[in-house]
Amino acid sequence: MVYSRRGSPGSRLLLLWLLLVYWKAGSGQLHYSIPEEAKHGTFVGRIAQDLGLELAELVPRLFRVASRGRRDLLEVNLQNGILFVNSRIDREELCRRSAECSIHLEVIVDRPLQVFHVEVAVKDINDNPPRFSRQEQRLFILESRMPDSRFPVEGASDLDIGANAQLRYRLNPNEYFDLDVKTNEEETHFLELVLRKSLDREETQEHRLLVIATDGGQPELTGTVQLLINVLDANDNAPEFDKSIYNVRLLENAPSGTLVIKLNASDADEGINKDIVYFFSNLVLDDVKSKFIINSNTGEIKVKGELDYEDCNSYEINIDAMDKSAFPLTGHCKVVVKLLDMNDNTPEMAITSLFLPVKEDAPVSTVIALITVSDRDSGANGQVTCSLMPHVPFKLVSTFKNYYSLVLDSALDRESVSAYELVVTARDGGSPSLWATASVSVEVADVNDNAPAFAQSEYTVFVKENNPPGCHIFTVSAWDADAQENALVSYSLVERRVGERALSSYVSVHSESGKVYVLQPLDHEELELLQFQVSARDAGVPPLGSNVTLQVFVLDENDNAPALLSPRVGGTGGAVSELVPWSVGAGQVVAKVRAVDPDSGYNAWLSYELQPAPGSARIPFRVGLYTGEISTTRSLDETEAPRHRLLVLVKDHGEPALTATATVLVSLVESGQAPKASSRASAGAVGPEAALVDVNVYLIIAICAVSSLLVLTLLLYTALRCSAPPTQVVCTRGNPTLVCSSAVGSWSCSQQRRERVCSGEAPPKTDLMAFSPSLPQGPTSADNPRQPNPDWRYSASLRAGMHSSVHLEEAGVLRAGPGGPDQQWPTVSSATPEPEAGEVSPPVGAGVNSNSWTFKYGPGNPKQSGPGELPDKFIIPGSPAIISIRQEPTNNQIDKSDFITFGKKEETKKKKKKKKGNKTQEKKEKGNSTTDNSDQ
């Protein structure tokens, strides 16, 4: 039915109402109808209006029509929304002899995505005349055949349907034959030529008849076939079949050689006239002969070719049974083979539209693809259902019969899964069922939902001072889980002030590579730690970013030579004059060289060497390796030279070592002249040196007072101990062991010996360790410095003149008192409860001040040490551990001029009492005085 706009307004409204009801009844499908062979431009329907779409939104919403098969039959005018015929439509070509023929259209619009289904029925017109398979049919009829004998004739076929294919037959007028038309249960016409009058071969050997077929269309169309009848003079009885029509049902795809039917005809004649042969009639088409074969002797019909229900579901086979007489007679029958459908066709799928890629923030229920399925089988074998594998954030939604939409079922995350490989399975309802699969690749488009991330929140970088400008020290790298420009990371400094200068004057960061450069040489003495942040930001919209902290520790280099502190020493070539009495004994300190080094660690660890003067004899003096104290090696006599010029080389432990030279002039005088000279020297001293001498005098007085009290205490303690029964205590000296430790780029080894402190009340404890710096150096590695022992934390500097093997890791500052210079000193903290559990190693410099200790004299003893002098004891605030330094006489075999004693405050008093009696005698023998300062 074609919708027409003609008629009264009331009839048009009624027609539209009926159309709307019919559309709703069709589950949302829109129906039109047109006749076949309609001309180009023929109006079909106002599709936009019927779908409820505005004409102005057809183009912006990408209105389009898709159809299966040929796509150019129908077209839509986007200007007026009219569906019209675009090219020739032949119903027979589209649907063959199917009773119903329609064109299915999919109307798709975007924003939002909508899919409409439109069905256009194609109506048949009488455009095909009846056709016979042959222009001429030949029949052989014996003259002996009786009237009313019947002979089959092939009928015509019409490609049209309905009334247009209802055929009527007539035979041209003659006196011998009539045409009889029969219709079977399948409403198929069977033509039979009926003999009305006996034939006489001698009169007429051949008859020519014309069969005319007329269809029921308007106008009528006709087709003709010429019947050529040859009259034979032979048998009286023709072979006869049990039935004129045999119906056989056979499964499609039956293998070759399958028996279809075995025919059996009989002949009432005798002898050779009774023997029958079977063969296909001339009416059988070549296509049928390619599918079946007949055994001429047995009458068995078997399958020869491939049978396919979808190509042809039934076959009509005309069989002739002929006897073997000289003038054979023939019997006729028809075998109708109907094929039964099998599930031998897999479903077919077509993905008509893909909307890719899908943004990872796409809302749920977003349509991804449209899928169409079909199956050539019929019945349950052609009913197809679809499923989706695997269970991903997508699902299939059935929108219409055999139409599915692939929609988003849950949220996406491109960083977790960037692409999905979906498998859509179409399965029919056959038994066993057949299925087909189609792969759909769904790519997830990225959105900027991830900020750049660093592997660590903080990085520690070590840079040696005096670096070249523009030196690359580190590379920061941030990773962004996003893609493309959303993962393109750029780096920048988080600007701040470093003192009075901007951070950007010290360092810079390359925006693309993340390389960090130092713009100017760094000075450890000026800046030990430079802490700043680097920002990483992606190129997304809006951009996301994160920061990382860099701690740049400036490592010390030996770039400062030792500096002499004495005012009378002006540097290299300067001289200090000292008056020494002739009667001075061996081991007496006659002078002291004081020097400091602004560097840290080994670079500030100073040692003193006495340089022999050119051409001079062996001098009776030596210098403490780490104290700078010049003392006599033997008693002096009158044979000694009255004046000695001593060159003291002050050298740090850097690589390479830097040095300074001090000149000391020692004049030997009589005993009565030395104090006067000293007094004059004291009177002549001005400035800080004079003040230092005064402080030393007071310090000596205080030490003597404290020593007197200590001697008295020891005497009382000894008297009390003597009254108690003696206790056998065996004290031994521990074997010296080698202690090695690493610094930044170097190793240091020293000899450690534990002294057993004996007490009658408690077992001896090895809380005294001596270190000798004269042992060989251990292995060094500039590229891989060892990290400090986690059980200890040390400062990063060492005061000049101090002999110690304390491992330095963090910078500490020792205040020498008001007016004195700030000198870096080693500090130690122990992680174990007992002093002997700690381990001591030489100094290193790491430049960290977080765990530093500052040693000060307490308010109980206001006396401060002078420049270059060492306090004897230190108390670690908040800890029972103490550090004490004392000196041994210089004539020992091992240079033990400096000792660091680790012990507890509670044990210190016991040790003093135990050793006080021996100290008096040692002072007389060794000529050394031990000064003790009060601990705070």
Side-chain angles (χ1 to χ4, degrees):
M1 179 177 66
V2 180
Y3 300 130
S4 173
R5 300 185 60 187
R6 295 176 295 179
S8 63
S11 63
R12 287 200 297 268
L13 290 176
L14 179 60
L15 183 61
L16 291 174
W17 181 79
L18 292 176
L19 175 62
L20 180 61
V21 172
Y22 183 69
W23 182 37
K24 290 183 178 179
S27 301
Q29 185 176 13
L30 193 62
H31 292 267
Y32 296 104
S33 65
I34 57 171
E36 66 173 328
E37 304 295 343
K39 295 182 180 180
H40 174 77
T42 300
F43 174 85
V44 178
R46 298 184 179 275
I47 189 170
Q49 178 180 346
D50 296 338
L51 294 176
L53 301 175
E54 297 294 334
L55 295 178
E57 64 180 357
L58 296 183
V59 174
R61 295 187 63 181
L62 301 180
F63 183 96
R64 57 196 182 275
V65 176
S67 64
R68 296 181 57 189
R70 297 183 60 185
R71 300 179 179 226
D72 58 346
L73 298 179
L74 301 174
E75 191 59 58
V76 176
N77 188 336
L78 297 182
Q79 303 298 325
N80 52 25
I82 292 177
L83 180 67
F84 62 93
V85 176
N86 188 44
S87 61
R88 176 178 176 269
I89 301 176
D90 187 356
R91 191 201 65 81
E92 287 74 24
E93 181 182 353
L94 287 177
C95 306
R96 297 185 179 181
R97 296 185 57 83
S98 177
E100 295 182 0
C101 183
S102 60
I103 302 173
H104 187 83
L105 304 177
E106 292 177 4
V107 178
I108 304 172
V109 292
D110 293 337
R111 303 171 187 171
L113 176 67
Q114 290 180 291
V115 181
F116 304 94
H117 299 276
V118 179
E119 185 173 340
V120 180
V122 180
K123 301 300 182 180
D124 181 51
I125 64 174
N126 192 24
D127 59 338
N128 291 281
R131 296 182 184 275
F132 291 88
S133 61
R134 294 180 178 87
Q135 295 181 354
E136 183 180 273
Q137 297 184 23
R138 184 178 295 273
L139 297 177
F140 298 91
I141 302 176
L142 290 173
E143 62 176 353
S144 60
R145 297 297 295 266
M146 300 300 293
D148 292 331
S149 296
R150 294 175 178 270
F151 307 95
V153 177
E154 180 186 8
S157 62
D158 197 325
L159 296 178
D160 297 323
I161 62 172
N164 296 329
Q166 294 178 0
L167 303 181
R168 303 186 308 276
Y169 298 89
R170 70 180 187 272
L171 187 65
N172 64 319
N174 66 92
E175 61 179 328
Y176 291 99
F177 297 96
D178 285 337
L179 189 65
D180 186 16
V181 180
K182 292 183 178 180
T183 304
N184 64 0
E185 59 185 14
E186 302 292 336
E187 295 185 357
T188 303
H189 297 291
F190 296 94
L191 303 183
E192 290 183 334
L193 193 63
V194 181
L195 182 63
R196 294 300 181 190
K197 181 181 177 181
S198 298
L199 297 175
D200 186 0
R201 181 178 176 278
E202 287 71 19
E203 180 182 353
T204 305
Q205 294 183 359
E206 187 177 83
H207 296 270
R208 290 184 177 271
L209 304 177
L210 183 65
V211 178
I212 302 171
T214 305
D215 62 23
Q218 294 294 332
E220 297 179 347
L221 300 178
T222 61
T224 61
V225 63
Q226 185 77 31
L227 294 180
L228 183 60
I229 301 173
N230 294 322
V231 180
L232 302 177
D233 186 16
N235 275 334
D236 295 332
N237 296 287
E240 294 183 357
F241 290 95
D242 296 337
K243 298 180 182 179
S244 61
I245 298 177
Y246 293 90
N247 292 306
V248 179
R249 296 184 181 275
L250 183 66
L251 290 174
E252 66 168 330
N253 299 327
S256 178
T258 301
L259 178 64
V260 178
I261 191 172
K262 184 178 181 181
L263 300 175
N264 185 22
S266 61
D267 195 318
D269 295 329
E270 295 290 335
I272 192 172
N273 293 330
K274 189 176 183 178
D275 295 337
I276 299 173
V277 291
Y278 303 89
F279 54 87
F280 289 129
S281 170
N282 292 333
L283 303 178
V284 177
L285 301 178
D286 293 338
D287 180 60
V288 176
K289 291 180 180 179
S290 66
K291 305 291 183 182
F292 301 95
I293 189 173
I294 187 170
N295 189 318
S296 60
N297 296 321
T298 63
E300 292 180 346
I301 299 176
K302 294 183 178 181
V303 176
K304 176 184 178 181
E306 182 179 353
L307 302 178
D308 190 352
Y309 176 89
E310 286 71 38
D311 291 339
C312 182
N313 58 11
S314 67
Y315 295 92
E316 295 181 359
I317 308 174
N318 292 299
I319 305 298
D320 290 342
M322 184 179 295
D323 56 29
K324 294 182 180 181
S325 67
F327 300 97
L329 297 179
T330 306
H332 310 281
C333 75
K334 179 179 288 189
V335 177
V336 179
V337 180
K338 296 182 180 179
L339 299 182
L340 301 179
D341 182 45
M342 293 182 63
N343 191 23
D344 59 339
N345 290 281
T346 58
E348 297 177 357
M349 284 187 293
I351 301 175
T352 57
S353 299
L354 282 177
F355 305 94
L356 298 174
V358 183
K359 288 189 175 181
E360 60 178 322
D361 60 349
V364 177
S365 299
T366 299
V367 177
I368 308 301
L370 301 178
I371 302 173
T372 305
V373 296
S374 61
D375 196 314
R376 294 183 60 196
D377 294 322
S378 59
N381 296 332
Q383 296 178 359
V384 182
T385 57
C386 282
S387 61
L388 182 66
M389 288 292 289
H391 297 292
V392 290
F394 302 96
K395 66 179 180 180
L396 287 177
V397 177
S398 178
T399 57
F400 195 70
K401 180 181 179 181
N402 293 339
Y403 290 88
Y404 292 86
S405 294
L406 178 64
V407 300
L408 183 62
D409 190 35
S410 60
L412 299 174
D413 184 10
R414 191 205 65 83
E415 289 69 42
S416 298
V417 181
S418 61
Y420 293 88
E421 291 295 332
L422 310 182
V423 178
V424 181
T425 302
R427 188 182 299 271
D428 59 29
S431 180
S433 63
L434 301 178
W435 67 90
T437 60
S439 297
V440 181
S441 297
V442 180
E443 181 181 356
V444 182
D446 182 58
V447 296
N448 193 26
D449 57 348
N450 289 277
F454 292 93
Q456 299 176 208
S457 61
E458 183 177 289
Y459 292 95
T460 301
V461 182
F462 296 95
V463 180
K464 289 185 178 182
E465 65 173 332
N466 302 321
N467 56 280
C471 173
H472 170 234
I473 61 171
F474 193 70
T475 299
V476 294
S477 178
W479 177 77
D480 198 313
D482 294 322
Q484 297 177 356
E485 66 273 2
N486 294 332
L488 186 62
V489 180
S490 59
Y491 304 92
S492 61
L493 280 178
V494 178
E495 189 62 74
R496 70 178 185 87
R497 305 291 297 180
V498 180
E500 298 180 354
R501 300 174 59 181
L503 175 65
S504 57
S505 64
Y506 285 95
V507 293
S508 67
V509 178
H510 192 274
S511 61
E512 297 181 0
S513 65
K515 291 185 176 181
V516 181
Y517 298 92
V518 178
L519 302 180
Q520 62 182 11
L522 299 178
D523 189 356
H524 171 79
E525 288 73 35
E526 176 186 346
L527 182 65
E528 295 184 5
L529 172 62
L530 180 61
Q531 182 171 319
F532 58 91
Q533 286 185 326
V534 176
S535 174
R537 189 171 297 271
D538 58 31
V541 179
L544 301 176
S546 61
N547 295 341
V548 66
T549 300
L550 263 68
Q551 288 188 339
V552 179
F553 289 97
V554 183
L555 301 182
D556 182 57
E557 282 192 336
N558 194 23
D559 57 346
N560 291 281
L564 301 173
L565 291 180
S566 177
R568 291 175 292 173
V569 178
T572 304
V576 177
S577 298
E578 294 291 345
L579 300 180
V580 179
W582 288 93
S583 59
V584 67
Q588 290 292 331
V589 176
V590 299
K592 187 171 185 177
V593 177
R594 301 177 182 87
V596 294
D597 195 317
D599 294 324
S600 301
Y602 277 105
N603 299 328
W605 189 15
L606 302 182
S607 62
Y608 301 85
E609 298 178 6
L610 192 60
Q611 300 293 316
S616 62
R618 184 168 178 264
I619 57 177
F621 299 100
R622 62 176 298 275
V623 65
L625 181 59
Y626 297 104
T627 62
E629 294 179 346
I630 300 175
S631 59
T632 58
T633 60
R634 52 186 172 81
S635 299
L636 302 179
D637 52 28
E638 296 181 356
T639 61
E640 299 290 343
R643 291 177 60 85
H644 294 273
R645 183 182 180 86
L646 305 180
L647 296 179
V648 179
L649 179 65
V650 183
K651 180 172 63 175
D652 56 30
H653 285 72
E655 291 291 341
L658 300 179
T659 61
T661 304
T663 302
V664 180
L665 300 177
V666 179
S667 300
L668 300 180
V669 297
E670 298 296 333
S671 300
Q673 297 178 355
K676 297 179 181 179
S678 299
S679 300
R680 289 194 301 267
S682 300
V686 293
E689 184 66 22
L692 181 61
V693 172
D694 294 338
V695 171
N696 289 338
V697 172
Y698 291 120
L699 179 60
I700 293 172
I701 297 173
I703 291 173
C704 293
V706 173
S707 300
S708 302
L709 293 175
L710 180 60
V711 170
L712 182 59
T713 303
L714 290 176
L715 292 175
L716 293 175
Y717 177 75
T718 302
L720 294 175
R721 292 293 294 171
C722 290
S723 61
T727 303
Q728 292 292 336
V729 178
V730 179
C731 298
T732 62
R733 169 176 291 186
N735 295 326
T737 60
L738 186 63
V739 179
C740 297
S741 65
S742 68
V744 178
S746 64
W747 280 76
S748 177
C749 297
S750 61
Q751 195 176 42
Q752 170 185 327
R753 185 181 72 253
R754 299 183 182 273
E755 297 290 343
R756 309 283 287 186
V757 179
C758 302
S759 174
E761 299 175 353
K765 295 185 178 181
T766 58
D767 62 348
L768 182 63
M769 289 179 287
F771 300 90
S772 175
S774 58
L775 296 177
Q777 295 291 326
T780 62
S781 175
D783 296 332
N784 299 309
R786 286 188 54 188
Q787 296 298 324
N789 190 322
D791 292 338
W792 289 89
R793 295 293 182 266
Y794 309 98
S795 68
S797 61
L798 180 67
R799 178 176 176 176
M802 177 177 179
H803 168 209
S804 172
S805 295
V806 181
H807 184 82
L808 301 179
E809 176 185 322
E810 301 170 350
V813 178
L814 178 65
R815 308 290 181 183
D822 289 347
Q823 176 65 32
Q824 296 179 347
W825 280 73
T827 59
V828 181
S829 65
S830 175
T832 57
E834 294 298 330
E836 54 268 28
E839 190 171 325
V840 182
S841 58
V844 296
V848 180
N849 293 328
S850 58
N851 295 325
S852 303
W853 297 334
T854 300
F855 298 102
K856 299 180 180 180
Y857 288 96
N861 185 7
K863 186 174 180 180
Q864 305 295 330
S865 61
E869 295 182 355
L870 297 177
D872 292 324
K873 297 180 181 178
F874 302 96
I875 296 178
I876 302 175
S879 171
I882 65 169
I883 301 177
S884 62
I885 302 175
R886 62 186 179 83
Q887 299 179 353
E888 288 292 325
T890 57
N891 54 1
N892 287 357
Q893 293 180 355
I894 299 177
D895 187 358
K896 304 189 298 292
S897 57
D898 297 332
F899 287 85
I900 300 178
T901 303
F902 298 86
K904 293 184 178 180
K905 296 178 183 178
E906 291 79 359
E907 297 176 359
T908 303
K909 295 180 179 180
K910 296 179 180 180
K911 295 175 182 178
K912 288 182 179 180
K913 294 177 180 180
K914 181 66 179 178
K915 297 182 179 180
K916 189 62 176 181
N918 299 328
K919 284 185 178 179
T920 305
Q921 185 176 356
E922 289 176 358
K923 290 179 183 178
K924 296 178 181 179
E925 295 176 355
K926 299 180 181 178
N928 293 333
S929 60
T930 302
T931 304
D932 295 334
N933 294 328
S934 299
D935 298 332
Q936 178 70 22

